[in-house]
Amino acid sequence: MENPTDRPDRPERPQRPARPVAGRRFYDGANRPVTPKQFRPDRGGAEFDDRPARPRGRGGSDNRDDAPTGRPDRGDSRPPYREREGGSDKPRYENRPAQASSIDMLFGLRPIQEALNAGRTLEKIFLLRGTKNSLVTDISAAARAAGIQVQLVPVEKLDNLTRKNHQGAVAFVSPIDYAPLDNIVSGLFEEGKVPFLLLLDRITDVRNFGAIARTAECLGVQAIVVPSRGAAQINGDALKTSAGALNLLPVCREVSLHETIRFLQQSGITVVACTEKAEEAVGAAEIDFTGPVAVLMGSEEDGISPDLLNLADVKLKVPMAGQIQSLNVSVAAGIMLFEVARQRVQQV
């Protein structure tokens, strides 16, 4: 029987040039891609260009020979490490979860319980859903008594928050200490000052919150009141945007803004809501802001909650003549607070 490989009419297969090991890349002392000596034509190796070896495509086929290496906006000689201050190198990990460097975090059930018992101010607590033990029960009860939001989340949420061993519990530590609202109000009256407060209903963007705090501190607001649930997390971004105002201006975290508004009204403070649903405009209405005032601002999406809006003593809107009939909440808050400050300056 004739061997098929011995047939003269069959052309001989050309020898494929040897290549470096698929998936391996070689670099010199300056982290530049190089071709190993055994594969260089001048050293007796196979004849091919000086491009470094690249990983083969899926399925083992070398279908990326003509594709450019590296990103188009960066040179091919860019090393796979980036420089850091001090001369140390750090690998680039594209898909690792982001580390929350702007706020401190606690990990584990026992450290969080000890932080609550010590009276530390926590922003929010995340617990692994489905965990049932005495520590979880004690943490949930102590957090709710202190007005701290507790969320039961899957393990993927906790893994995205941190790369450390969280053991099913993560808590954000607040960079500021919250002040009791009743102490603030009674202290203002005892000192003979006219209260000027700001209520924020579900402001969730930290930069909006920081910008509002900065404007409020500049215009003489004496305290900011936020709900314990649905409010922006006060972290490093909020502190930076506020330009340090959150370190000077007291922030009160209340469980219910409904009860807060009723408490302020019983204390003789007029609650003024800024909403586009109002009929009277800021500045056009004859509203006296020289007395005790609490300005109420709503969320970025749907404004002030209807139930809170019904409790307000006065409703005003920002007059607008343009085609875009909406303002950023930090800008609207600045306009509203300026009107109060303007009347108080004129009175002095």
Side-chain angles (χ1 to χ4, degrees):
M1 181 175 180
E2 182 182 9
N3 191 347
T5 58
D6 298 335
R7 288 184 300 179
D9 56 341
R10 182 166 183 171
E12 185 177 352
R13 286 187 179 182
Q15 294 292 331
R16 296 187 63 183
R19 285 186 172 274
V21 181
R24 292 283 303 277
R25 303 189 68 173
F26 302 88
Y27 300 89
D28 59 10
N31 255 344
R32 294 173 299 185
V34 297
T35 302
K37 295 180 180 180
Q38 63 269 29
F39 296 104
R40 294 180 183 174
D42 57 347
R43 298 298 180 93
E47 295 184 358
F48 66 97
D49 55 21
D50 292 335
R51 291 178 298 173
R54 295 184 298 276
R56 294 181 179 272
R58 296 181 179 178
S61 62
D62 192 5
N63 56 3
R64 299 187 182 183
D65 284 347
D66 298 330
T69 60
R71 293 177 53 176
D73 57 339
R74 298 177 179 175
D76 289 346
S77 61
R78 178 178 176 89
Y81 297 90
R82 59 185 177 192
E83 297 278 336
R84 293 186 68 189
E85 295 182 1
S88 60
D89 295 333
K90 181 180 180 180
R92 294 198 307 267
Y93 298 100
E94 302 295 341
N95 298 321
R96 295 185 73 173
Q99 180 74 18
S101 58
S102 59
I103 189 170
D104 293 333
M105 288 190 289
L106 294 177
F107 315 99
L109 294 173
R110 186 69 66 180
I112 294 176
Q113 184 187 38
E114 294 176 355
L116 289 172
N117 295 336
R120 294 192 64 180
T121 305
L122 303 181
E123 278 287 325
K124 188 181 296 185
I125 300 175
F126 295 95
L127 298 177
L128 180 60
R129 183 181 300 162
T131 304
K132 296 181 180 180
N133 54 49
S134 58
L135 282 178
V136 172
T137 304
D138 295 342
I139 289 175
S140 301
R144 291 188 174 90
I148 301 173
Q149 183 179 356
V150 178
Q151 287 188 2
L152 302 178
V153 297
V155 67
E156 292 79 10
K157 173 67 175 179
L158 299 176
D159 292 339
N160 289 332
L161 291 176
T162 179
R163 296 187 292 267
K164 297 183 179 180
N165 183 17
H166 49 72
Q167 298 178 345
V170 174
F172 291 128
V173 182
S174 175
I176 66 171
D177 292 327
Y178 294 97
L181 179 60
D182 52 352
N183 292 350
I184 295 291
V185 174
S186 60
L188 291 174
F189 282 120
E190 291 175 0
E191 296 174 4
K193 298 180 180 179
V194 181
F196 182 15
L197 308 177
L198 176 61
L199 310 179
L200 300 180
D201 176 30
R202 296 171 295 122
I203 302 296
T204 57
D205 188 271
V206 294
R207 292 176 176 82
N208 279 339
F209 180 78
I212 292 173
R214 181 176 183 175
T215 303
E217 201 281 331
C218 292
L219 295 179
V221 173
Q222 294 146 342
I224 296 179
V225 183
V226 297
S228 58
R229 300 181 65 89
Q233 183 179 355
I234 300 180
N235 53 18
D237 290 335
L239 289 174
K240 181 179 180 181
T241 310
S242 71
L246 288 173
N247 294 323
L248 304 173
L249 188 62
V251 179
C252 307
R253 183 168 60 182
E254 300 296 319
V255 177
S256 174
L257 288 184
H258 303 80
E259 299 179 1
T260 300
I261 292 177
R262 294 189 181 95
F263 165 74
L264 295 177
Q265 291 172 337
Q266 293 173 1
S267 302
I269 299 176
T270 302
V271 177
V272 181
C274 181
T275 173
E276 70 278 2
K277 301 176 184 179
E279 298 180 358
E280 296 180 308
V282 178
E286 297 296 332
I287 305 296
D288 184 15
F289 290 134
T290 59
V293 173
V295 176
L296 175 61
M297 302 298 302
S299 71
E300 297 92 343
E301 297 182 359
D302 54 0
I304 303 174
S305 302
D307 47 355
L308 297 180
L309 192 60
N310 294 332
L311 295 177
D313 300 309
V314 180
K315 302 179 184 64
L316 298 175
K317 64 180 179 180
V318 177
M320 290 179 288
Q323 298 182 8
I324 301 177
Q325 297 296 312
S326 63
L327 287 173
N328 179 273
V329 63
S330 64
V331 176
I335 296 173
M336 192 69 207
L337 297 178
F338 172 77
E339 177 62 21
V340 179
R342 182 188 67 82
Q343 291 192 16
R344 296 194 173 200
V345 169
Q346 289 182 350
Q347 184 188 30
V348 176

